[in-house]
Amino acid sequence: MTSSHFLCHSPIFHPSPNIIENRSLSSFRSHGSSFFDSKSRNQRTPFVRLMVSARKQVEIVYNPDERINKLADEVDKEAAPVSRLTLFSPCKINVFLRITNKREDGFHDLASLFHVISLGDVIKFSLSPSKAQDRLSTNVPGVPLDDRNLIIKALNLYRKKTGSNNFFWIHLDKKVPTGAGLGGGSSNAATALWAANQFNGFLATEKELQEWSSEIGSDVPFFFSQGAAYCTGRGEVVQNIPPPLPLDLPMVLIKPQQACSTAEVYKRLQLDRTSKSDPVTLLEKISRNGISQDVCINDLEPPAFEVLPSLKRLKQRVLAASRGQYGAVFMSGSGSTIVGIGSPDPPQFVYDDDEYRDVFLSEANFLTREENNWYTEPASRSARGSSSQFSQSIE
């Protein structure tokens, strides 16, 4: 997290703690770093410097990391098990997704191979001395910071289940676009449950966290697998499996700015037009033979392509341009991310055509975790996208 700067002009300026306390992180961040000099650019601690000149110019440098660390120092004095924690919050893809039935409760039964991938957010948690509320900040505009956010929902759920009275300062460094079919919000919720359990001295088992997490969303329990799982029910029935594919198998993610409404996609789904392939057979084929176009079936593609016809055209163009570059090209979840498995590089037309100027692009590979350890952020990741891709966090 970088420090944030702004300049102001004032006859006399007396900074007080409330000046920084009451400004949102995003409002500081929006001023950028254009006023750094070479010395202050490398400054690691917050300071206020008064530069008295003819215009009485004042520079304030604010470092939110330092603020969170000071709060954690206060908690350290109370000998908490953990006072601060930084966790990677990876997203997922559906290697195949079969919709098998519509239930009486209005949900659909599915059968899918879920796999965690190396694209993800980073979430910083600090135990707050406050016993009243959590406080969430983020690096992108438009993300809800109240209990509409799945991170806050998860922390509320943990307190409800365990009786804990710990509250947190949280900073979400958002990298995963929303409305993408990648489960970024669900991963954030699972990561928050894991963090809360760390802070509270492991009041719950992993199995309990997984069971509780289904109250937040159908995709959340998956992230308590070891990274690869065969999921059924609404998605909340998670069967942990050995990774069926090489973890270093590269892929590229291409997501247009337009998102697909999950509700609208399911509304247009026609069960009599879905694939007849047995999902267990698909899993066996992938485990035995690897990735191929015929096993990467997604029953939500046809209705998603009705909702967003340009998405169908994007998939067709990627397939036509791949020339064997990708073992399979498919949509993840309910869209709107198109995944190309086999190469980290997008086809050239994505760079050349103005239509795709604002698409989100990222390379990735498969990712797993060890039991009793959370996912670890890869050493390097490459992603390109505009801030508007990340502006909604309700999934």
Side-chain angles (χ1 to χ4, degrees), residues 353-367:
D353 290 10
D354 286 344
E355 179 181 358
Y356 302 108
R357 179 178 53 198
D358 296 323
V359 300
F360 172 86
L361 292 174
S362 179
E363 63 183 65
N365 54 269
F366 293 112
L367 189 68

Side-chain angles (χ1 to χ4, degrees), residues 305 308-318 349 355-356:
F305 293 164
L308 198 61
S310 60
L311 192 60
K312 180 178 182 179
R313 185 167 66 252
L314 173 60
K315 180 188 174 182
Q316 290 173 336
R317 292 196 64 180
V318 174
F349 76 83
E355 179 181 358
Y356 302 108

Side-chain angles (χ1 to χ4, degrees), residues 275-296:
S275 168
K276 305 307 177 188
S277 298
D278 176 53
V280 174
T281 301
L282 293 175
L283 182 60
E284 291 172 349
K285 285 183 176 180
I286 291 171
S287 300
R288 186 171 59 249
N289 303 323
I291 284 288
S292 60
Q293 191 66 44
D294 65 307
V295 296
C296 293

Side-chain angles (χ1 to χ4, degrees), residues 87 190-198 206 209 224 369 372-374:
L87 293 175
T191 305
L193 283 174
W194 177 273
N197 205 41
Q198 297 280 312
E206 279 194 34
L209 294 177
F224 289 100
R369 70 178 181 96
N372 300 320
N373 290 283
W374 200 241

Side-chain angles (χ1 to χ4, degrees), residues 8-239:
C8 58
H9 302 282
S10 170
I12 299 176
F13 183 77
H14 298 288
S16 70
N18 291 334
I19 290 172
I20 291 179
E21 178 71 22
N22 295 328
R23 291 292 299 271
S24 70
L25 299 188
S26 59
S27 65
F28 282 97
R29 197 170 284 104
S30 65
H31 289 80
S33 57
S34 58
F35 300 110
F36 275 3
D37 57 31
S38 60
K39 181 177 179 181
S40 65
R41 187 181 299 273
N42 296 319
Q43 187 70 28
R44 296 296 298 170
T45 57
F47 66 92
V48 175
R49 184 174 69 203
L50 304 184
M51 300 180 290
V52 181
S53 63
R55 300 181 67 186
K56 291 186 172 56
Q57 194 176 59
V58 177
E59 180 179 10
I60 295 176
V61 181
Y62 172 61
N63 187 330
D65 267 349
E66 188 68 19
R67 181 184 183 192
I68 289 175
N69 288 339
K70 284 185 176 181
L71 283 169
D73 288 339
E74 293 182 38
V75 179
D76 281 344
K77 298 174 185 177
E78 301 177 5
V82 180
S83 62
R84 68 200 82 179
L85 197 60
T86 298
L87 293 175
F88 185 54
S89 181
C91 63
K92 60 83 182 170
I93 62 169
N94 301 87
V95 180
F96 67 79
L97 176 56
R98 287 288 336 280
I99 307 299
T100 58
N101 183 46
K102 185 170 183 179
R103 300 150 46 125
E104 291 183 1
D105 61 8
F107 289 98
H108 288 78
D109 283 322
L110 59 83
S112 178
L113 171 56
F114 282 57
H115 210 306
V116 169
I117 61 172
S118 58
L119 172 66
D121 305 328
V122 174
I123 312 178
K124 294 186 177 183
F125 299 87
S126 178
L127 195 57
S128 171
S130 165
K131 298 298 181 184
Q133 66 176 353
D134 301 303
R135 298 188 66 177
L136 174 64
S137 62
T138 185
N139 63 319
V140 294
V143 173
L145 304 179
D146 54 18
D147 60 8
R148 292 173 296 162
N149 191 291
L150 297 189
I151 292 173
I152 304 299
K153 284 183 183 292
L155 297 175
N156 286 338
L157 178 66
Y158 187 85
R159 284 186 288 264
K160 175 184 174 183
K161 295 291 188 180
T162 64
S164 167
N165 63 351
N166 286 326
F167 288 80
F168 303 92
W169 284 69
I170 313 105
H171 182 78
L172 170 62
D173 186 9
K174 196 73 181 158
K175 303 293 185 184
V176 179
T178 56
L182 299 175
S186 296
S187 173
N188 291 168
T191 305
L193 283 174
W194 177 273
N197 205 41
Q198 297 280 312
F199 280 103
N200 286 279
F202 308 99
L203 294 178
T205 65
E206 279 194 34
K207 187 66 176 175
E208 287 173 324
L209 294 177
Q210 186 178 53
E211 291 172 355
W212 298 346
S213 69
S214 65
E215 298 182 27
I216 305 170
S218 300
D219 288 351
V220 185
F222 158 70
F223 290 96
F224 289 100
S225 72
Q226 267 66 71
Y230 179 64
C231 298
T232 53
R234 293 182 291 113
E236 84 285 5
V237 181
V238 179
Q239 179 184 342

